[in-house]
Amino acid sequence: MTMQPNSDEFAGKRVFVSGGTKGLGRATVERFVAGGARVIAAARGAAEAIEGAEFTQADQTTARAGKPWRGRRLSVLAESISWSII
């Protein structure tokens, strides 16, 4: 079964996705973009462009991660950060 996203489902929403450049995080960004949201994807390293989304290089200690929308209301904060122990 394949779901077709409604392109207006998230229209007018601002979404910030941490860890939003690979795997589940990237899929989350793509889904919100397909639903019409304005999205910022944040990650520690440089990322391959995701059409329709902004990117900021940041980690949990970076205060500037949300700077592009400072002073504006955020609709959704999605954390898709995973940890690795070596």
Side-chain angles (χ1 to χ4, degrees):
M1 179 171 94
T2 302
M3 294 181 62
Q4 296 299 320
N6 175 347
S7 62
D8 293 330
E9 183 175 8
F10 303 111
K13 303 294 183 188
R14 288 187 175 90
V15 179
F16 185 92
V17 181
S18 63
T21 59
K22 296 179 186 173
L24 180 60
R26 185 179 181 95
T28 301
V29 169
E30 291 171 346
R31 177 61 184 91
F32 276 113
V33 168
R38 293 182 56 199
V39 181
I40 291 181
R44 291 177 294 179
E48 182 181 321
I50 301 172
E51 187 175 339
E54 297 177 49
F55 171 75
T56 187
Q57 189 168 347
D59 63 21
Q60 292 177 332
T61 64
T62 308
R64 67 175 173 77
K67 189 174 181 178
W69 291 345
R70 184 163 287 147
R72 299 182 187 155
R73 174 172 253 147
L74 184 65
S75 305
V76 178
L77 171 62
E79 286 191 289
S80 58
I81 300 173
S82 63
W83 296 91
S84 297
I85 299 175
I86 298 174

